[in-house]
Amino acid sequence: MEDSTKLGNPRRVQLPYGKVKKMEIRHDDLFLISYPKSGTHWLMRIITLILNGSDFDADCRHASAVPSLVEMLLSQEGDDPGMLMAKKNRGLPMDFSPNSMESPRFLTTHAPYDLLPTQFHEKRPKLIYIARNPKDLVVSAFSHFSIRSRHIYDEFSELLEEFLAGQAIANFGHWGSHVLDWWKRRHEHNVLYVKYEDMRKDLKAGIKNIAEFIGKGLTPEDVDKIAHHCSFEYMKNAPQGDTFMKAMGWKENPFVRRGKVGEWKETFIVAQNEMMDKYCEQWLKGTGLEFEMGRSK
Ligand code: A3P
């Protein structure tokens, strides 16, 4: 994997994958893994509520119990300013270590397969991988990295070009390889592979599937309650007093924007769509991994 600092690309987010590699892993950890903008925060919330038996006030009271990106937990001076700010906002000390978290831990990472902690492959904790169609994903990423939090990209075409070259956002390499590395392993006992589009189509079925994988029994009322609190509409308009939002230090949820399948059609021009189709064909053809891209205009 390339070292983004050596490439000198100021657009890249500097994530502490050296520290992630050395991180201690426990057998009873639960991981959520995704390429950014795939619905990570949505799943973080769903999983937290499943773990809490749909009690959305429980376990959100302590910053270290709020589901977190290990890249953020392990960030220190010199790493990505956005990650440092998130760490500070949670009231976590700069030298906070996930080692101090009580078991069982629920952790999230965007690390591609090759950058996962070395112990991950020995201990084989349960992991849920969420994948999203790359067209909506890049539109979501453009919004995140150009308009909302930082002005890394002026034009959508700049981000798309880097994405297609496997160089967008941070040192994750190709999206195609990120999603396929776990797709190939989706039948392993500790792996659950879900797609954003399927969760969007039937949230309750998605919640039940995840709960079953985690080994948490839910009543139909629990499922209804979780689906209500994780619906796009609720999360978009969540009241400021919402425990989860408070625990995250958010006035509004920056990771809930449009939540559409097929929004890419408002952004892509024909040539860009052709380039993305070619990219998908190169990576996904013959693998069985397919994505719903949304209804035609
Ligand atoms: P859009 O930008 O396309 O709207 P991540 O957490 O990985 O950064 O992903 C963010 C994406 O997940 C955003 O996509 C966001 O709107 C979407 N999302 C967040 N909460 C959601 C929900 N409850 N239902 C559907 N999509 C959701």
Side-chain angles (χ1 to χ4, degrees):
M1 190 63 55
E2 304 139 317
D3 176 345
S4 57
T5 46
K6 286 198 190 112
L7 290 175
N9 185 345
R11 296 185 201 271
R12 299 274 197 102
V13 175
Q14 306 297 323
L15 296 175
Y17 282 118
K19 282 172 235 155
V20 171
K21 261 251 165 276
K22 292 188 202 133
M23 194 184 143
E24 174 222 75
I25 297 298
R26 303 176 194 159
H27 290 289
D28 60 358
D29 285 339
L30 172 65
F31 266 82
L32 170 65
I33 305 182
S34 67
Y35 191 94
K37 311 319 294 173
S38 303
T40 320
H41 291 78
W42 184 26
L43 266 270
M44 278 158 107
R45 177 151 213 212
I46 292 171
I47 295 166
T48 306
L49 290 179
I50 292 173
L51 293 171
N52 294 343
S54 87
D55 173 1
F56 56 94
D57 287 338
D59 278 351
C60 286
R61 294 182 196 107
H62 307 291
S64 62
V66 174
S68 302
L69 269 183
V70 295
E71 289 88 330
M72 184 271 281
L73 294 177
L74 291 166
S75 285
Q76 287 176 331
E77 295 305 336
D79 292 319
D80 176 61
M83 293 284 156
L84 293 176
M85 195 186 291
K87 192 169 182 178
K88 224 169 124 197
N89 287 348
R90 302 268 191 96
L92 296 172
M94 267 309 128
D95 61 354
F96 178 85
S97 161
N99 291 351
S100 65
M101 290 169 72
E102 275 174 33
S103 291
R105 300 179 300 183
F106 169 40
L107 297 163
T108 304
T109 184
H110 291 315
Y113 191 79
D114 292 341
L115 297 183
L116 281 167
T118 310
Q119 286 190 7
F120 197 92
H121 307 294
E122 277 159 47
K123 304 266 171 87
R124 305 189 73 194
K126 278 191 180 174
L127 73 99
I128 298 164
Y129 187 90
I130 179 156
R132 184 181 194 187
N133 87 61
K135 295 183 183 178
D136 286 325
L137 184 152
V138 283
V139 171
S140 181
F142 179 63
S143 161
H144 188 97
F145 290 103
S146 66
I147 302 154
R148 185 179 289 127
S149 52
R150 359 177 154 197
H151 290 263
I152 299 183
Y153 299 97
D154 291 325
E155 301 285 339
F156 173 68
S157 57
E158 296 167 16
L159 170 58
L160 182 63
E161 200 178 298
E162 290 195 0
F163 179 88
L164 297 174
Q167 291 173 355
I169 308 176
N171 42 346
F172 302 126
H174 273 285
W175 169 87
S177 137
H178 206 294
V179 295
L180 279 176
D181 278 333
W182 286 111
W183 177 250
K184 284 185 234 155
R185 295 171 174 87
R186 69 192 181 284
H187 297 307
E188 293 181 9
H189 75 277
N190 61 324
V191 180
L192 178 69
Y193 202 96
V194 302
K195 292 184 199 161
Y196 177 92
E197 294 74 22
D198 293 339
M199 294 293 299
R200 201 72 183 96
K201 202 181 284 167
D202 191 342
L203 181 54
K204 288 186 190 174
I207 292 168
K208 285 188 223 161
N209 188 28
I210 293 171
E212 196 178 311
F213 172 73
I214 297 175
K216 278 270 174 192
L218 295 179
T219 64
E221 292 73 34
D222 289 337
V223 175
D224 286 350
K225 212 163 147 189
I226 296 172
H228 172 67
H229 282 94
C230 296
S231 70
F232 182 80
E233 294 68 28
Y234 184 90
M235 284 182 65
K236 184 80 185 166
N237 304 305
Q240 285 196 11
D242 182 89
T243 321
F244 191 83
M245 302 276 282
K246 274 207 240 165
M248 299 293 260
W250 291 335
K251 288 202 173 54
E252 62 181 82
N253 191 332
F255 292 94
V256 187
R257 192 181 61 92
R258 298 217 22 215
K260 280 182 74 176
V261 177
E263 189 200 349
W264 61 272
K265 288 170 192 160
E266 297 167 28
T267 303
F268 275 64
I269 57 169
V270 173
Q272 291 170 336
N273 191 31
E274 284 170 5
M275 283 193 287
M276 183 62 102
D277 282 341
K278 200 165 150 213
Y279 177 90
C280 288
E281 193 177 326
Q282 277 166 352
W283 281 96
L284 306 182
K285 197 175 170 191
T287 65
L289 179 56
E290 288 174 3
F291 290 94
E292 194 195 314
M293 300 285 185
R295 271 176 257 120
S296 0
K297 270 190 245 185

